[in-house]
């Protein structure tokens, strides 16, 4: 099972952890309706989503203004998630780990 750790871009500290499990879609953004909320003006109301694609999990940007960025700074539209991967959304770093459970 994949885990998502939401960390502060500034300090690197862990803010929250989420088990992604078998959920079909996880919506990330600053809107109250999002599954994972990041309250920052640089985060779009519905910024990105984690979706199931067969056995894989895929991160998809939802046309956000600030973008969803790889650790290299490259803007992504769609990305298959892998253990150890990191992406930046506004002031947050999303870190993905295979939990082994």
């Amino acid at each position: 099972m994949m885990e998502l750790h939401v960390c502060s871009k500034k300090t690197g500290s862990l803010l929250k952890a989420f088990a992604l499990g078998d959920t079909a879609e996880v919506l990330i953004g600053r809107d109250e309706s999002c599954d994972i909320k990041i309250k920052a003006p640089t985060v779009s109301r519905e910024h990105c989503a984690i979706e199931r694609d067969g056995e894989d999990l895929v991160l998809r940007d939802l046309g956000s203004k600030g973008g969803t960025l790889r650790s290299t700074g490259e803007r992504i539209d769609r990305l298959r998630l892998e253990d150890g991967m990191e992406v930046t959304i506004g002031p947050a770093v999303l870190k993905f780990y295979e939990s082994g459970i």
Side-chain angles (χ1 to χ4, degrees), residues 32-83:
E32 285 300 319
S33 66
C34 291
D35 302 300
I36 298 174
K37 295 168 210 47
I38 301 173
K39 300 266 187 195
T42 54
V43 175
S44 294
R45 283 177 295 190
E46 292 184 350
H47 198 99
C48 62
I50 299 169
E51 303 167 333
R52 199 153 280 291
D53 184 10
E55 293 295 314
D56 295 328
L57 287 174
V58 174
L59 179 70
R60 185 172 59 90
D61 186 83
L62 299 174
S64 65
K65 197 172 192 179
T68 302
L69 310 173
R70 288 180 183 241
S71 56
T72 59
E74 174 190 357
R75 192 175 182 137
I76 62 117
D77 291 319
R78 188 175 194 276
L79 182 68
R80 186 174 73 79
L81 297 177
E82 297 176 2
D83 184 43

Side-chain angles (χ1 to χ4, degrees), residues 84-100:
M85 185 172 285
E86 296 183 9
V87 297
T88 302
I89 295 173
V93 177
L94 308 182
K95 300 180 180 185
F96 298 91
Y97 298 105
E98 193 62 49
S99 68

